[in-house]
Amino acid sequence: MGRKYIDCREFPSESKCSVAISADSEDELIEVAVQHAVLVHKHQDSPELRQMLKGAFKDAPPPA
């Protein structure tokens, strides 16, 4: 499996967050993305949040 990422710039927010997070596994990425969403964006950890975040995962380009 290739590297995955999620980028806050793809979500509208008042904070104009520019954080992008990547990981080698979806399990690792979802845990970090949820922590960021809860701590920074004040979302509640829920199955719906996790599903929405997983739906926004993208394949990361190969390293240069």
Side-chain angles (χ1 to χ4, degrees):
M1 176 200 305
R3 199 157 174 82
K4 300 278 188 181
Y5 77 94
I6 188 168
D7 192 330
C8 275
R9 294 173 292 186
E10 296 177 2
F11 298 92
S13 73
E14 292 178 13
S15 66
K16 307 286 190 232
C17 183
S18 65
V19 168
I21 304 166
S22 64
D24 289 338
S25 76
E26 286 191 6
D27 290 340
E28 187 177 20
L29 183 55
I30 194 64
E31 292 307 318
V32 176
V34 167
Q35 288 177 23
H36 175 75
V38 168
L39 292 172
V40 175
H41 299 289
K42 308 302 182 205
H43 291 286
Q44 293 288 332
D45 185 357
S46 68
E48 293 82 12
L49 175 66
R50 288 172 178 265
Q51 182 177 358
M52 189 267 310
L53 290 172
K54 277 188 177 183
F57 288 178
K58 297 206 169 46
D59 292 327

